[in-house]
Amino acid sequence: MTIGRATAMLMIGALALPVAAQAGEPIFPAHGDKPAHYVEPTTGYNYTRRDVEMPMRDGVKLHTVILVPKGAAHAPILFTRTPYDADKHAGRNRSGNLASIVPQSAEVFANAGYIIVFQDVRGLHGSEGDYVMTRPPRGPLNPTNVDNTTDAWDAIDWLVKNVPETNGKVGMIGSSYEGHTVVMALLDPHPALKVAAPESPMVDGWMGDDWFHYGAFRQDGALGYVIGQESPKGADAAFITSNADDYDAYLRGGSAGDIAKAHGVDQFGMWRRMAEHPAYDAYWQGQALDKAVAAHPSKVPTMWLQGLWDQEDMWGAIHSWEALKGAGHLDNNYLVMGPWRHSQVNYEGYSLGPLKWAGNTTADFRQNVLLPFFDQYLKDGAPAYAMPRVQIYNTGENHWDKLPDWPLACASGCAKPMTPLYLAADAGLSFDKPKGAGADSYVSDPAHPIPFVPRPVNLSGTDQWKQWLVSDQREANTRTDVLSYETPVLDHAVRISGAPVADLLLATTGTDGDFVVKLIDVYPDEVPSQTELGGYQLGVAMDIFRGRYRDSFEHPSAIPANKTVRIKFALPTANHVFLPGHRIMVQVQSSWFPLYDRNPQTYVPNIFFAKPGDYKKATITVSRSSANPSAVWLPLVDAGAVAAQ
């Protein structure tokens, strides 16, 4: 075979290449094709990223992502400690623009030149150490020398000493669990912590945040959250019912303890602690952060922030603020409550369910309230910001109210006292005390509990969970095991600004029971501008109370059968106007399933482990007599008492 001259030369050149390469860089580097150390490119990026394994006082290293704007000098730091993965927080989008990669909530801070820092709490994601769900403060419940207070202190100390671009001033922010870490930092704040905003923080898990509400266990959500948070690293663990309707899955599952065992939740520490402490004993009291911040007030300016329809952490922010107020420590504390679901302040805020607000309430708030509030304490030479003591959305008239104090009406210490709205004859409500005898009854059957949202109940991957507190209550109104009371059509506005209080005088044929009370705004039969709101029954303030705790949260007791007892508890805070043409409704029922576990209605030592035979029907009789009047006490104020802002 013969070959042409050109082909031969190509072959000779190809054969010679390896010989030439031996004189320079080897074709196959010892470490393969990956560089020993990757250097972030500079073109197209307006920030630099530094990943740090930050040492704590006990030697544990916490994974921390530091995002520094290009050219930053004397810049403040926005710091978030998270159980939800610092790397993901720093990777919302693939972009060289800092405002694009951080969470939506941090965009305004990125655009304002802040250094943004995310840190994994110990034991999760990239951080070393052992993970403990909402690790209690050091003391009887935590005998170690570390907690989320010391970790925040050590992290801030490291940041101000090792980030050369900073001015040495740090602000902390975070929602839900991240809000919990902010509150913990306030118990012993580092001197460089100059401002804080705990958003919907987990503060008291028994009274009204994630785990219980007045002793009723929030099983649908809590069980899956425990698995997701406490599963070993790398484990593909999840709470799976394989059922399109959680109502059926939980009903067939039995007690919360039976369900936990069947799904492997009983392996996890947080579940075991909840099951061992069903009452408000020293375990829960010792980590109630609203009490802790009042006992150890900081001088850090703090904005306590939550949504008025927060379906997860309704208790924390408002009760922390009120505890500080009660202890005389409001000089540096502010309250903001928006028309939002849990953590919605970090996303879009045009609406919630069918409710439409005056613009993008969250974006406007972040840009025009939150940022200037932080700037004045963190940015050198920033102007003072005239933050009102209280900024709370008026959900009936659709605008913000800016106030010098809160609440406007309460049982004591307010300008106005509470006003009782009595349950009345013929399913009515009246501001006049009833005369003579009167009562209404319903049968509560644990075999047919009342769904907390219209079925099918499917909280995974849907908006049902986010919006359930504003869901239409008409379906419950049609059930025979729900008592409904309603005013005539209002001919004038009725304004409430505070926490309504349910006050029921009732008897049960059982020896335990749960009691749900709902304060509802009933819309006119027709709403021409928004037809889906015609006749809508909007929950303004709703909650549940476990009857065994009527006399003591710490020491439960059976309800004496067929004897009238008082069930009295505060509903969530509201700032609402029932407009002319609307009606006010109150609903009373004894289950909210499967969000809350079923009460067997037979007193057992621990409802988590109730047996099938313990679940029995009970007849509940609610009194509306002159001797035993049942009511919802309203924080009623005059229509002109609050000026729109």
Side-chain angles (χ1 to χ4, degrees), residues 196-276:
E199 303 167 333
S200 301
M202 300 166 70
V203 164
D204 191 325
W206 194 93
M207 280 293 187
D209 283 331
D210 287 87
W211 313 120
F212 300 82
H213 274 219
Y214 295 121
F217 179 55
R218 292 166 64 86
Q219 62 180 5
D220 194 358
L223 298 177
Y225 187 78
V226 167
I227 289 181
Q229 288 294 107
E230 295 190 345
S231 295
K233 290 182 179 181
D236 184 20
F239 187 91
I240 299 173
T241 65
S242 299
N243 196 307
D245 191 344
D246 286 348
Y247 183 99
D248 288 332
Y250 279 88
L251 190 60
R252 294 167 185 163
S255 69
D258 291 335
I259 296 168
K261 184 175 182 180
H263 290 270
V265 189
D266 60 344
Q267 303 173 61
F268 298 98
M270 189 65 214
W271 160 259
R272 291 195 295 269
R273 292 191 293 278
M274 289 189 292
E276 291 167 1

Side-chain angles (χ1 to χ4, degrees), residues 58 64 71 305 326 498 504-505 555 587 592 622:
D58 62 345
T64 309
L305 198 157
L504 302 180
L505 280 299
H555 303 292
Q587 290 181 359
W592 238 2
V622 179

Side-chain angles (χ1 to χ4, degrees), residues 78 83 245 256 335 419 465 634:
L78 185 73
D245 191 344
L335 176 66
T419 302
W465 173 243
L634 300 180

Side-chain angles (χ1 to χ4, degrees), residues 275-492:
E276 291 167 1
H277 301 279
Y280 196 62
D281 58 13
Y283 172 74
W284 297 107
Q285 294 175 34
Q287 54 183 312
L289 296 186
D290 50 345
K291 300 177 180 65
V293 294
H296 305 280
S298 82
K299 295 182 180 180
V300 177
T302 302
M303 180 188 292
W304 299 92
L305 198 157
Q306 73 177 61
L308 287 159
W309 282 287
D310 190 316
Q311 79 281 10
E312 294 181 27
D313 293 305
M314 180 65 79
W315 186 273
I318 179 63
H319 284 86
S320 296
W321 190 86
E322 289 182 341
L324 287 159
K325 175 184 174 180
H329 300 300
L330 276 194
D331 285 349
N332 58 308
N333 287 278
Y334 303 85
L335 176 66
V336 174
M337 300 185 77
W340 308 318
R341 62 170 173 83
H342 182 68
S343 295
Q344 190 179 357
V345 66
N346 297 315
Y347 303 98
E348 297 297 322
Y350 291 102
S351 62
L352 180 60
L355 306 178
K356 299 178 181 179
W357 310 124
N360 190 347
T361 56
T362 52
D364 291 344
F365 168 78
R366 294 192 300 265
Q367 183 66 52
N368 299 318
V369 179
L370 184 62
L371 180 62
F373 180 76
F374 269 56
D375 279 352
Q376 68 178 330
Y377 300 111
L378 296 177
K379 281 198 165 184
D380 301 333
Y385 176 69
M387 181 72 194
R389 185 65 59 192
V390 176
Q391 181 166 324
I392 184 166
Y393 206 82
N394 184 317
T395 54
E397 294 179 334
N398 206 4
H399 58 72
W400 287 100
D401 290 331
K402 298 180 181 180
L403 309 168
D405 197 9
W406 186 264
L408 300 187
C410 60
S412 62
C414 293
K416 291 185 68 66
M418 302 285 276
T419 302
L421 181 62
Y422 294 102
L423 309 189
D426 301 320
L429 290 172
S430 176
F431 289 108
D432 297 324
K433 188 175 181 179
K435 298 178 181 179
D440 299 298
S441 298
Y442 62 93
V443 176
S444 174
D445 185 358
H448 301 283
I450 300 164
F452 77 103
V453 289
R455 297 179 62 184
V457 180
N458 182 7
L459 304 185
S460 300
T462 71
D463 288 333
Q464 196 175 47
W465 173 243
K466 297 176 183 178
Q467 301 175 3
W468 84 265
L469 277 175
V470 298
S471 61
D472 197 335
Q473 297 302 305
R474 274 181 285 198
E475 183 169 320
N477 191 32
T478 64
R479 290 184 58 123
T480 58
D481 50 359
V482 177
L483 297 180
S484 295
Y485 302 87
E486 193 174 33
T487 66
V489 174
L490 300 175
D491 60 6
H492 64 282

Side-chain angles (χ1 to χ4, degrees), residues 476-597:
N477 191 32
T478 64
R479 290 184 58 123
T480 58
D481 50 359
V482 177
L483 297 180
S484 295
Y485 302 87
E486 193 174 33
T487 66
V489 174
L490 300 175
D491 60 6
H492 64 282
V494 175
R495 183 188 299 269
I496 60 171
S497 295
V501 175
D503 186 11
L504 302 180
L505 280 299
L506 58 81
T508 175
T509 58
T511 51
D512 200 358
D514 289 346
F515 304 99
V516 177
V517 176
K518 311 173 189 175
L519 180 65
I520 295 168
D521 185 345
V522 181
Y523 280 65
D525 293 339
E526 284 190 310
V527 180
S529 61
Q530 196 175 348
T531 56
E532 67 270 27
L533 286 179
Y536 202 89
Q537 295 182 7
L538 171 68
V540 173
M542 311 187 290
D543 219 334
I544 186 171
F545 188 97
R546 184 142 284 177
R548 62 177 50 209
Y549 301 112
R550 71 203 176 280
D551 294 327
S552 169
F553 291 128
E554 185 175 4
H555 303 292
S557 61
I559 299 175
N562 300 307
K563 181 179 178 180
T564 299
V565 298
R566 167 164 268 151
I567 304 294
K568 189 172 184 179
F569 59 99
L571 300 177
T573 287
N575 187 39
H576 189 76
V577 176
F578 299 89
L579 296 170
H582 291 227
R583 299 171 186 258
I584 302 174
M585 176 182 281
V586 170
Q587 290 181 359
V588 180
Q589 61 194 59
S590 284
S591 54
W592 238 2
F593 189 77
L595 175 57
Y596 293 94
D597 65 332

